[in-house]
Amino acid sequence: QVRLEESGGGSVQAGGSLKLSCTAFGYVLNACGSAWFRQAPGKERELVSTIYRPGTATYADSVKGRFTTSRDYDGRRLYLEMKKLEIDDSAVYYCSAKGRSVVEGNYKCSEDFQFWGQGTQVTVSS
């Protein structure tokens, strides 16, 4: 059974830094794409960053230059390093991964992000 578990959230003042971790159980995060999402109260869930192959991370414009996504070589952990945090970065952050199945003898990744963690709260204050 696949389980994703985030950690590292907390409270920080604007301008500060946090590093989130996501540990995968029963799965490897480099099998297909993995990502960080966030959701603030009253807002829709927002895609923060995705990573497929090492060195190919993409970012939302709102976090570009401040956030960095990385992944352990063995695919067990995903990280989101957040610097120069802003009040608008306050949200519950979720890690997610696309699923992988075997179709006619070949691996096939799911279109959608299939696996989700329970989320970790990040609160940025002035």
Side-chain angles (χ1 to χ4, degrees):
Q1 186 174 358
V2 177
R3 190 174 91 246
L4 304 184
E5 190 171 292
E6 301 95 339
S7 61
S11 297
V12 64
Q13 287 192 320
S17 301
L18 281 175
K19 185 173 183 177
L20 306 183
S21 299
C22 173
T23 302
F25 300 91
Y27 196 61
V28 286
L29 295 168
N30 56 1
C32 293
S34 48
W36 288 97
F37 289 81
R38 67 185 181 186
Q39 188 166 22
K43 294 187 177 181
E44 293 190 354
R45 186 174 59 197
E46 174 188 17
L47 176 62
V48 175
S49 176
T50 62
I51 184 168
Y52 288 86
R53 295 185 180 84
T56 64
T58 62
Y59 301 92
D61 287 343
S62 59
V63 307
K64 206 171 290 184
R66 300 187 296 118
F67 290 12
T68 303
T69 291
S70 59
R71 195 169 55 196
D72 281 354
Y73 179 79
D74 62 3
R76 285 290 315 280
R77 289 184 177 84
L78 180 70
Y79 303 99
L80 182 66
E81 186 167 14
M82 307 183 292
K83 297 182 178 179
K84 300 179 181 178
L85 283 160
E86 303 170 354
I87 291 175
D88 285 348
D89 294 321
S90 298
V92 177
Y93 283 72
Y94 301 90
C95 71
S96 183
K98 292 191 174 184
R100 186 175 70 175
S101 59
V102 177
V103 178
E104 298 180 345
N106 296 309
Y107 285 121
K108 180 176 172 62
C109 295
S110 63
E111 291 291 324
D112 298 328
F113 287 94
Q114 184 175 345
F115 304 117
W116 294 84
Q118 80 289 349
T120 186
Q121 177 71 49
V122 171
T123 302
V124 184
S125 59
S126 59

